[in-house]
Amino acid sequence: MSILIDKDTKVIVQGITGRDGSFHTQQMIEYGTKIAGGVTPGKGGQTACGVPVFNSVAEAVKATGATASVMYVPAAFAKGAMLDAANSDIELLVAITEGVPTLDVLEAYEALTAKGIRLIGPNCPGLITPGACKIGIMPGQIHKPGRIGVISRSGTLTYEIVKELTDSGLGESTCIGIGGDPIIGSKFVDLLPLFEADKDTDAVVLVGEIGGQDEVIAAEYFTKNMKKPIVGFMAGLTAPPGRRMGHAGAIVGGEDDTAASKIAKLEAAGIPVARIISDVVKLVKRELN
């Protein structure tokens, strides 16, 4: 079982004829993802990576029955691609593109939300249900089917923690990289209810960063609404004060945004937080017992 995607999910690739789009489309196909078609405006009627190319997401959805789209278009064209998806009947949009202007994301987010379309990203690695479906750029070989959900703001840390979960034998139900930008589609609090309701997820690993209050909001949701355990990991614990971090969303605006403050609030809510990555698995096993 999983959340959001499974072995039957049909996927459209926006930007399939570009360098990144074609490379990752091939990777997803080799993993077993059902790629139904691609979208590149002006190249409709062509074939790429063995699937048909359409001029718009609406055309692709109508012809293929796809329910999810992933976009690998350059940042300058990202707003147009997201608005194109908003004009279709797609259910899920995964925006891998980084460097999308904040105001562009805001406009597209409002359009997608108005249509009831869930957005993951932008500036994210995507999501994966191991052994069933991969949408994005995650390295499939480090994942293993299991019963631990993962939600992360950090791409690289996601891979490191997933490798630990896989090597321990726990594996993952669904792993979601939500992105590190200030404005993103789905946040921790939007995805935790799905894992709580998933009968084949036993616990959730939440990987946060400094900056913003999303982790604190997730902790408040946990105390009021969840029965399944969460284990946390917070990047940036040793970040020098005043240093601007790599992710646009990881900007410390005050004492409440620091890793130490977030760890204190998570632990006060009953969420154990690992100080080093290798302790995540130990805490997950302790919570499951």
Side-chain angles (χ1 to χ4, degrees):
M1 193 59 182
S2 57
I3 68 169
L4 296 177
I5 59 173
D6 57 32
K7 63 181 178 57
D8 297 318
T9 302
K10 290 184 179 180
V11 182
I12 293 297
V13 181
Q14 293 177 254
I16 193 171
T17 57
R19 181 195 61 184
D20 293 344
S22 60
F23 174 80
H24 288 292
T25 297
Q26 196 59 49
Q27 296 291 307
M28 290 188 288
I29 290 172
E30 291 175 5
Y31 192 76
T33 303
K34 289 183 169 56
I35 302 297
V39 172
T40 299
K43 295 189 178 180
Q46 298 182 15
T47 298
C49 300
V51 297
V53 178
F54 301 88
N55 288 316
S56 72
V57 178
E59 287 180 19
V61 170
K62 184 177 181 180
T64 67
T67 57
S69 180
V70 57
M71 48 176 276
Y72 298 94
V73 304
F77 305 108
K79 184 177 79 171
M82 288 190 279
L83 293 177
D84 183 21
N87 288 325
S88 76
D89 293 325
I90 210 80
E91 297 174 4
L92 171 69
L93 173 62
V94 182
I96 306 299
T97 308
E98 63 177 322
V100 184
T102 301
L103 291 179
D104 288 359
V105 179
L106 276 174
E107 183 178 341
Y109 175 77
E110 290 181 358
L112 291 162
T113 302
K115 285 289 297 288
I117 299 171
R118 181 182 293 276
L119 172 65
I120 303 292
N123 189 17
C124 77
L127 69 164
I128 183 170
T129 292
C133 181
K134 178 181 95 157
I135 303 180
I137 62 175
M138 293 174 169
Q141 68 274 17
I142 66 171
H143 293 81
K144 174 184 178 181
R147 300 180 65 85
I148 309 300
V150 179
I151 317 174
S152 175
R153 289 176 65 188
S154 168
T156 304
L157 288 177
T158 304
Y159 305 154
E160 292 190 43
I161 289 172
V162 162
K163 184 69 164 53
E164 295 280 337
L165 290 170
T166 293
D167 289 347
S168 73
L170 288 170
E172 309 87 42
S173 53
T174 297
C175 176
I176 307 169
I178 59 175
D181 281 0
I183 304 296
I184 56 174
S186 298
K187 301 179 179 179
F188 295 120
V189 74
D190 300 313
L191 299 168
L192 287 175
L194 305 184
F195 279 122
E196 176 70 10
D198 179 27
K199 64 181 179 61
D200 290 327
T201 293
D202 293 335
V204 179
V205 174
L206 184 153
V207 184
E209 290 186 339
I210 58 176
Q213 289 290 288
D214 289 348
E215 294 83 358
V216 177
I217 295 171
E220 293 171 353
Y221 180 86
F222 169 77
T223 58
K224 297 177 181 176
N225 301 286
M226 290 190 69
K227 296 181 179 178
K228 295 179 181 178
I230 297 178
V231 168
F233 180 84
M234 202 61 54
L237 188 59
T238 59
R243 176 69 61 85
R244 181 172 179 149
M245 306 304 289
H247 278 171
I251 301 172
V252 177
E255 291 184 358
D256 288 345
D257 295 354
T258 64
S261 175
K262 291 186 178 185
I263 289 172
K265 291 180 178 178
L266 288 171
E267 291 184 334
I271 299 174
V273 180
R275 299 312 195 264
I276 56 176
I277 287 176
S278 59
D279 282 347
V280 170
V281 167
K282 297 175 186 175
L283 292 178
V284 170
K285 288 184 175 179
R286 189 187 76 183
E287 293 299 300
L288 291 176
N289 292 328

